[in-house]
């Protein structure tokens, strides 16, 4: 009874309050819905003391901020932009790994990523295969599989970007989910299985970009100063690698790679035969002595039959797995030397699960492991291959690079250039200037 009385008193109180306008804006919303002629909501007039103060403070802040930013040089501003990208990392971390990846590629394709305006220190510049790299740090294959974002990614300050793997015929790849994060270990397991839009879609895209890059090169050469390291490949600033794969159902692997050469080599500063993905059945067998020899001969033949201008055909590299025995490595080194291969990429992802990831249940997912736990395995292989090839073939060190020190260790192990993927996926654009800065510092010491 007492409860009923008190609830009636409370209801009456609320009713009177609403009727008398005691709840301010609430009254206007409700009455506005009923009568269109209701008076407008009460606003803080600009002429009031509070309003004037607020407007004045906002304008003052804007002017002061603008004046400060205008005094900041381009390099500092660029540094701010790169650092600011770290703010979106927690948001990306909340998304499914493949969705986050798609978003990142779209952002880079639309130019929604910072552009590196600070020239690379000349100490980082180098010439490989007759091409000038402004720095030796590249983006590994698999990030931009369909060449959607080459300009945006090169603009982040990578010395080179490798697109692909591209298969002749479009294919979906393995069912999703197929990319798994091992965040604490700084690693990823993927079993993408060469999801690719195919060589024609990629050729079309690269054809359009090719024209644009040529224009960019023309305008940049006219304004570049003498002591600046001139960088760029055949089609413009920045070096572009094209990584070729084979279709899952294809019986003739060599024919697939040859198709890739015919359609894409004209756009590439270098080509890669990828025979090391663990997610395409039988692919890794192509690393065997005889298979590799036959394959490389056919692909080299196809490339050399094409008509090339003054700069000649693009160099041909082979990307190998980190799970090879000493004998496998000896075979690959022998084939590479005998056929004068232009380079090797060491390495792709591993099917092994090092101790550092075993306690994570995600480690049980099948696929190739990349990132920090791959560093030692791939760097040791790099060292061995450098010795086996007697330093005669440029090697690209890839696997587990997460800092400038790591990049430098790869160079010390025998790499001419380095590439990364996983740590870039975790840290985003801010990692690139960071790696280059530490690398040039360690290099200089
Ligand atoms: C999600 C994902 C997809 C990849 N796809 C390809 C690919 O299509 N072709 C290829 O040669 N390597 C591919 N890789 C391997 C990377 O290019 C690189 O060799 C490997 O991840 C080791 O470098 P990291 O430890 O810096 O990531 C892929 C790696 C990841 C994580």
């Amino acid at each position: 009874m007492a409860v009923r009385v008190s609830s009636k008193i409370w209801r009456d109180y609320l009713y009177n309050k609403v009727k008398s306008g005691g709840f301010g804006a609430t009254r206007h919303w409700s009455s506005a819905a009923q009568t269109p002629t209701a008076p407008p909501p009460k606003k803080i007039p600009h002429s009031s003391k509070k309003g004037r103060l607020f407007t004045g403070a906002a304008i003052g802040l804007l002017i002061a901020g603008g004046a400060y930013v205008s005094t900041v040089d381009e390099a500092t501003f660029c540094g701010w932009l790169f650092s600011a990208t770290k703010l979106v990392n927690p948001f990306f971390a909340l998304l499914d790994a493949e969705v986050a990846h798609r978003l990142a590629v779209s952002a880079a394709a639309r130019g929604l990523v910072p552009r590196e305006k600070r020239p690379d220190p000349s100490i980082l510049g180098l010439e490989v295969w007759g091409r000038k790299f402004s720095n030796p740090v590249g983006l590994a294959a698999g990030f931009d599989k369909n060449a959607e974002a080459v300009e945006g990614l090169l603009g982040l300050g990578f010395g080179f970007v490798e697109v692909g793997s591209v298969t002749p015929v479009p294919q979906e790849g393995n069912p999703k989910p197929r990319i798994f994060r091992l965040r604490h270990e700084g690693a990823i397991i993927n079993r993408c299985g060469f999801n690719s839009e195919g060589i024609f879609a990629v050729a079309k895209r690269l054809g359009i970009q090719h024209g644009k890059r040529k224009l960019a090169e023309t305008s940049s050469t006219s304004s570049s100063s003498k002591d600046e390291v001139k960088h760029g490949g055949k089609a413009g600033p920045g070096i572009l690698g094209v990584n070729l794969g084979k279709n899952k159902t294809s019986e003739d692997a060599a024919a697939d790679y040859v198709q890739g050469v015919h359609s894409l080599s004209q756009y590439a500063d270098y080509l890669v035969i990828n025979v090391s993905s663990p997610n395409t059945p039988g692919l890794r067998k192509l690393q065997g002595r005889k298979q590799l020899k036959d394959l490389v001969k056919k692909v080299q033949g196809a490339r050399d039959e094409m008509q090339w201008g003054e700069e000649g055909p693009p160099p041909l590299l082979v990307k190998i797995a980190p799970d090879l025995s000493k004998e496998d490595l000896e075979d690959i080194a022998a084939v590479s030397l005998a056929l004068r291969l232009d380079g090797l990429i060491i390495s792709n992802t591993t099917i092994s699960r090092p101790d550092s990831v075993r306690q994570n249940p995600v480690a049980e997912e099948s696929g190739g492991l990349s990132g920090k736990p791959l560093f030692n395995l791939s760097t040791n292989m790099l060292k061995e291959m450098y010795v086996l090839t007697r330093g005669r073939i440029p090697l690209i060190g890839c696997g587990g690079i997460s800092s400038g020190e790591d990049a430098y260790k790869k160079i010390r192990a025998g790499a001419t250039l380095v590439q990364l993927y996983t740590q870039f996926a975790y840290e985003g654009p801010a990692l690139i200037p960071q790696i280059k800065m530490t690398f040039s510092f360690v290099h200089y010491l």
Side-chain angles (χ1 to χ4, degrees):
M1 180 68 182
V3 173
R4 217 180 304 148
V5 169
S6 67
S7 75
K8 183 176 173 349
I9 293 170
W10 179 234
R11 227 178 24 239
D12 289 350
Y13 167 76
L14 283 178
Y15 176 76
N16 289 332
K17 194 83 179 149
V18 169
K19 217 174 149 198
S20 67
F23 289 137
T26 314
R27 182 176 70 113
H28 294 303
W29 289 341
S30 55
S31 56
Q34 290 153 15
T35 50
T37 52
K42 218 173 155 187
K43 281 188 199 155
I44 300 174
H46 281 295
S47 54
S48 79
K49 205 173 166 194
K50 227 175 172 180
R52 278 203 310 270
L53 254 173
F54 180 74
T55 316
I59 292 173
L61 265 175
L62 265 175
I63 293 173
Y68 180 61
V69 168
S70 70
T71 63
V72 164
D73 59 284
E74 197 177 52
T76 313
F77 190 65
C78 188
W80 285 354
L81 280 184
F82 271 81
S83 301
T85 61
K86 287 183 193 166
L87 297 173
V88 298
N89 290 351
F91 165 70
F92 273 80
L94 291 175
L95 302 173
D96 162 76
E98 191 154 353
V99 172
H101 173 248
R102 271 278 1 122
L103 215 61
V105 175
S106 301
R110 286 168 176 72
L112 302 175
V113 287
R115 204 169 171 79
E116 185 54 90
K117 300 269 170 95
R118 299 160 289 186
D120 285 329
S122 54
I123 194 173
L124 290 184
L126 74 164
E127 200 177 310
V128 193
W129 308 303
R131 280 157 177 99
K132 283 190 175 156
F133 290 69
S134 68
N135 73 73
V137 184
L139 179 62
F143 190 87
D144 188 6
K145 284 180 184 273
N146 298 303
E148 292 169 79
V150 176
E151 293 310 310
L153 293 169
L154 280 171
L156 291 176
F158 283 111
F160 60 112
V161 166
E162 189 174 309
V163 297
S165 297
V166 192
T167 57
V169 179
Q171 63 176 32
E172 295 264 311
N174 289 325
K176 295 174 189 172
R178 54 194 178 186
I179 304 180
F180 307 89
R181 295 187 185 106
L182 294 88
R183 183 168 295 282
H184 289 294
E185 294 80 1
I188 288 175
I189 290 177
N190 94 82
R191 50 167 180 268
C192 291
F194 287 166
N195 46 316
S196 171
E197 288 182 20
I199 48 175
F200 292 116
V202 171
K204 195 172 159 199
R205 219 167 262 144
L206 286 178
I208 295 166
Q209 287 167 18
H210 203 66
K212 274 200 213 156
R213 296 178 82 216
K214 268 199 170 131
L215 279 176
E217 186 189 32
T218 319
S219 54
S220 74
T221 41
S222 52
S223 63
S224 62
S225 76
K226 262 191 178 171
D227 38 294
E228 200 179 319
V229 181
K230 283 192 204 99
H231 52 100
K234 63 161 91 164
I239 306 280
L240 174 68
V242 176
N243 181 309
L244 304 172
K246 77 170 265 293
N247 279 112
K248 185 178 177 182
T249 52
S250 162
E251 300 280 314
D252 187 349
D256 276 21
Y257 292 105
V258 165
Q259 275 195 63
V261 168
H262 284 155
S263 306
L264 298 172
S265 55
Q266 56 182 313
Y267 309 113
D269 291 310
Y270 70 88
L271 287 168
V272 182
I273 308 179
N274 177 11
V275 282
S276 46
S277 166
N279 305 311
T280 296
L283 190 82
R284 288 185 161 203
K285 288 199 183 119
L286 297 170
Q287 295 171 109
R289 191 181 190 117
K290 184 170 169 0
Q291 292 93 323
L292 189 64
K293 199 172 172 184
D294 291 347
L295 177 64
V296 172
K297 269 187 181 172
K298 283 183 187 159
V299 177
Q300 277 177 336
R303 178 198 61 173
D304 296 341
E305 270 167 27
M306 293 171 74
Q307 299 253 306
W308 295 105
E310 248 175 52
E311 78 237 327
L316 186 68
L317 286 76
V318 170
K319 183 165 179 177
I320 62 174
D323 309 312
L324 299 166
S325 67
K326 180 93 196 260
E327 293 71 45
D328 294 333
L329 288 184
E330 284 167 1
D331 285 346
I332 292 170
V335 171
S336 306
L337 288 171
L339 297 182
R340 294 174 181 272
L341 200 66
D342 298 293
L344 288 166
I345 303 184
I346 305 165
S347 69
N348 212 313
T349 55
T350 176
I351 50 168
S352 72
R353 296 292 181 263
D355 287 345
S356 57
V357 301
R358 285 219 185 112
Q359 72 288 359
N360 189 331
V362 180
E364 280 165 29
E365 293 290 346
S366 65
L369 175 78
S370 59
K372 288 180 184 172
L374 175 61
F375 185 81
N376 287 341
L377 187 64
S378 56
T379 310
N380 289 338
M381 245 190 71
L382 175 67
K383 259 185 216 161
E384 283 189 55
M385 192 49 98
Y386 183 79
V387 174
L388 289 169
T389 51
R390 303 191 281 282
R392 290 194 190 154
I393 297 175
L395 305 177
I396 300 185
C398 181
I401 293 177
S402 63
S403 64
E405 286 92 339
D406 289 346
Y408 189 64
K409 280 182 193 162
K410 293 271 187 199
I411 301 281
R412 298 278 304 182
T416 302
L417 299 162
V418 297
Q419 285 180 323
L420 72 157
Y421 180 144
T422 301
Q423 198 62 21
F424 173 64
Y426 277 123
E427 287 193 43
L431 180 68
I432 310 309
Q434 214 172 295
I435 287 189
K436 289 193 291 184
M437 197 173 71
T438 325
F439 181 82
S440 50
F441 185 65
V442 186
H443 195 51
Y444 187 73
L445 286 178

Coordinates of all heavy atoms in Angstrom, one line a residue, residues 126 129 133-140 153-154 157-163 238-241 269-270 317 345 396-397 416-420:
L126 N 71.7 2.1 -52.1 CA 72.6 1.1 -52.7 C 72.1 0.7 -54.1 O 71.0 1.0 -54.5 CB 72.7 -0.1 -51.8 CG 71.5 -1.1 -51.7 CD1 72.0 -2.4 -51.1 CD2 70.4 -0.5 -50.9
W129 N 71.5 -5.0 -59.1 CA 71.0 -5.3 -60.4 C 70.9 -4.1 -61.3 O 69.9 -3.9 -62.1 CB 69.6 -6.0 -60.4 CG 69.5 -7.1 -59.4 CD1 70.2 -8.3 -59.5 CD2 68.6 -7.3 -58.3 NE1 69.9 -9.1 -58.4 CE2 68.8 -8.5 -57.7 CE3 67.6 -6.5 -57.8 CZ2 68.1 -9.0 -56.6 CZ3 66.9 -7.0 -56.7 CH2 67.2 -8.2 -56.1
F133 N 68.4 1.7 -55.1 CA 67.4 1.6 -54.0 C 67.8 2.7 -53.1 O 69.0 2.9 -52.7 CB 67.6 0.3 -53.3 CG 67.1 -1.0 -54.0 CD1 67.8 -1.4 -55.2 CD2 66.0 -1.7 -53.6 CE1 67.4 -2.5 -55.9 CE2 65.6 -2.8 -54.3 CZ 66.3 -3.2 -55.4
S134 N 66.8 3.5 -52.6 CA 67.1 4.6 -51.7 C 67.3 4.1 -50.3 O 67.9 4.7 -49.5 CB 66.0 5.6 -51.7 OG 64.8 5.0 -51.1
N135 N 66.9 2.9 -50.0 CA 67.2 2.2 -48.8 C 66.9 0.7 -49.0 O 66.2 0.3 -49.9 CB 66.3 2.8 -47.6 CG 64.9 2.3 -47.7 OD1 64.5 1.2 -47.4 ND2 64.0 3.3 -48.1
P136 N 67.5 -0.2 -48.1 CA 67.4 -1.6 -48.4 C 66.2 -2.3 -47.7 O 66.1 -3.5 -47.7 CB 68.7 -2.1 -47.8 CG 69.0 -1.2 -46.6 CD 68.4 0.1 -47.0
V137 N 65.2 -1.5 -47.2 CA 64.1 -2.1 -46.5 C 62.9 -2.2 -47.4 O 62.3 -1.2 -47.8 CB 63.8 -1.3 -45.2 CG1 62.7 -2.0 -44.4 CG2 65.0 -1.1 -44.4
G138 N 62.4 -3.5 -47.6 CA 61.3 -3.7 -48.5 C 60.1 -4.3 -47.8 O 60.2 -4.8 -46.7
L139 N 59.0 -4.2 -48.5 CA 57.7 -4.9 -48.1 C 57.7 -6.2 -48.8 O 57.7 -6.3 -50.0 CB 56.5 -4.0 -48.4 CG 55.2 -4.7 -48.0 CD1 55.1 -4.9 -46.5 CD2 54.0 -3.8 -48.4
A140 N 57.5 -7.3 -48.0 CA 57.5 -8.7 -48.5 C 56.2 -9.0 -49.2 O 55.2 -8.3 -49.0 CB 57.8 -9.7 -47.4
L153 N 52.1 2.3 -50.8 CA 53.1 1.6 -50.0 C 54.5 2.1 -50.2 O 55.3 2.2 -49.3 CB 52.9 0.1 -50.3 CG 51.6 -0.6 -49.8 CD1 51.4 -2.0 -50.4 CD2 51.5 -0.6 -48.3
L154 N 54.8 2.3 -51.5 CA 56.2 2.9 -51.7 C 56.3 4.3 -51.1 O 57.3 4.6 -50.5 CB 56.4 3.0 -53.2 CG 56.8 1.8 -54.0 CD1 56.8 2.0 -55.5 CD2 58.2 1.3 -53.6
G157 N 57.8 4.9 -47.6 CA 59.2 5.0 -47.4 C 60.0 3.7 -47.6 O 61.2 3.6 -47.3
F158 N 59.3 2.6 -48.0 CA 59.9 1.3 -48.3 C 60.9 1.6 -49.5 O 60.6 2.3 -50.4 CB 58.9 0.3 -48.7 CG 58.2 -0.3 -47.6 CD1 56.8 -0.1 -47.4 CD2 58.8 -1.1 -46.6 CE1 56.1 -0.7 -46.4 CE2 58.1 -1.7 -45.6 CZ 56.7 -1.5 -45.5
G159 N 62.0 0.9 -49.5 CA 63.0 1.0 -50.6 C 62.4 0.2 -51.8 O 62.7 0.5 -52.9
F160 N 61.6 -0.8 -51.5 CA 61.0 -1.6 -52.6 C 59.8 -2.3 -52.0 O 59.7 -2.5 -50.8 CB 62.0 -2.5 -53.2 CG 62.6 -3.6 -52.3 CD1 62.3 -4.9 -52.4 CD2 63.5 -3.2 -51.3 CE1 62.9 -5.9 -51.6 CE2 64.1 -4.2 -50.4 CZ 63.8 -5.5 -50.6
V161 N 58.9 -2.6 -53.0 CA 57.6 -3.3 -52.6 C 57.5 -4.5 -53.5 O 57.6 -4.3 -54.7 CB 56.4 -2.3 -52.7 CG1 55.1 -3.1 -52.7 CG2 56.4 -1.3 -51.6
E162 N 57.2 -5.6 -52.9 CA 57.0 -6.8 -53.8 C 55.5 -7.2 -53.7 O 54.9 -7.4 -52.7 CB 57.8 -8.0 -53.2 CG 57.9 -9.2 -54.1 CD 58.9 -10.2 -53.5 OE1 60.0 -9.9 -53.2 OE2 58.5 -11.4 -53.3
V163 N 54.9 -7.2 -54.9 CA 53.4 -7.6 -55.0 C 53.3 -9.1 -55.3 O 54.2 -9.7 -55.8 CB 52.7 -6.7 -56.0 CG1 52.7 -5.3 -55.6 CG2 53.2 -6.9 -57.4
G238 N 61.0 4.3 -56.7 CA 60.7 3.1 -56.0 C 60.8 1.8 -56.8 O 60.6 1.9 -58.0
I239 N 61.2 0.8 -56.2 CA 61.5 -0.5 -56.9 C 60.3 -1.4 -56.7 O 59.8 -1.6 -55.6 CB 62.8 -1.2 -56.4 CG1 63.9 -0.2 -56.5 CG2 63.0 -2.5 -57.2 CD1 64.6 0.0 -57.8
L240 N 59.8 -2.0 -57.8 CA 58.7 -2.9 -57.7 C 59.1 -4.4 -58.1 O 59.5 -4.6 -59.2 CB 57.6 -2.4 -58.7 CG 56.4 -3.4 -58.9 CD1 55.6 -3.4 -57.6 CD2 55.5 -2.9 -60.0
G241 N 58.8 -5.3 -57.1 CA 59.1 -6.7 -57.4 C 57.7 -7.4 -57.7 O 56.7 -7.0 -57.1
D269 N 60.6 -4.6 -61.7 CA 62.0 -4.4 -61.6 C 62.8 -5.6 -61.2 O 64.0 -5.8 -61.4 CB 62.3 -3.3 -60.5 CG 61.8 -1.9 -61.0 OD1 62.1 -1.5 -62.1 OD2 61.0 -1.3 -60.3
Y270 N 62.1 -6.6 -60.6 CA 62.6 -7.9 -60.5 C 61.4 -8.9 -60.3 O 60.3 -8.5 -60.0 CB 63.5 -8.0 -59.3 CG 62.9 -7.9 -57.9 CD1 62.4 -9.0 -57.2 CD2 62.8 -6.7 -57.2 CE1 61.8 -8.9 -56.0 CE2 62.2 -6.6 -56.0 CZ 61.7 -7.7 -55.4 OH 61.1 -7.6 -54.1
L317 N 64.6 -14.0 -59.4 CA 64.9 -14.5 -58.0 C 64.1 -15.7 -57.7 O 63.0 -15.9 -58.3 CB 64.7 -13.5 -57.0 CG 65.7 -12.3 -56.9 CD1 65.4 -11.3 -58.0 CD2 65.5 -11.6 -55.5
I345 N 65.5 -15.2 -52.2 CA 64.8 -14.6 -51.0 C 64.8 -15.6 -49.9 O 64.2 -16.7 -50.1 CB 63.4 -14.0 -51.3 CG1 63.5 -13.0 -52.5 CG2 62.8 -13.4 -50.1 CD1 62.2 -12.4 -52.8
I396 N 68.1 -11.7 -50.4 CA 67.2 -10.8 -49.7 C 66.8 -11.5 -48.4 O 66.3 -12.6 -48.4 CB 65.9 -10.5 -50.5 CG1 66.3 -9.8 -51.8 CG2 64.9 -9.6 -49.7 CD1 65.1 -9.3 -52.6
G397 N 67.1 -10.9 -47.3 CA 66.9 -11.5 -46.0 C 65.5 -11.1 -45.5 O 65.1 -10.0 -45.4
T416 N 71.8 -8.6 -48.9 CA 72.0 -7.3 -49.6 C 70.8 -6.4 -49.3 O 71.0 -5.2 -49.1 CB 72.2 -7.5 -51.1 OG1 73.2 -8.5 -51.3 CG2 72.5 -6.3 -51.9
L417 N 69.7 -7.0 -49.3 CA 68.4 -6.2 -49.0 C 67.6 -7.0 -48.0 O 67.9 -8.2 -47.8 CB 67.6 -6.1 -50.3 CG 68.2 -5.4 -51.5 CD1 67.4 -5.8 -52.8 CD2 68.2 -3.9 -51.4
V418 N 66.7 -6.3 -47.4 CA 65.8 -7.1 -46.4 C 64.3 -6.8 -46.7 O 64.0 -5.8 -47.3 CB 66.1 -6.7 -44.9 CG1 67.5 -7.0 -44.5 CG2 65.9 -5.2 -44.7
Q419 N 63.5 -7.6 -46.2 CA 62.0 -7.4 -46.3 C 61.3 -7.8 -45.0 O 61.9 -8.6 -44.3 CB 61.5 -8.4 -47.4 CG 61.8 -8.1 -48.8 CD 61.2 -9.1 -49.7 OE1 61.1 -10.3 -49.4 NE2 60.7 -8.7 -50.9
L420 N 60.2 -7.2 -44.9 CA 59.4 -7.7 -43.7 C 57.9 -7.6 -44.0 O 57.5 -6.9 -45.0 CB 59.7 -6.8 -42.5 CG 59.2 -5.3 -42.5 CD1 59.0 -4.9 -41.0 CD2 60.1 -4.4 -43.2

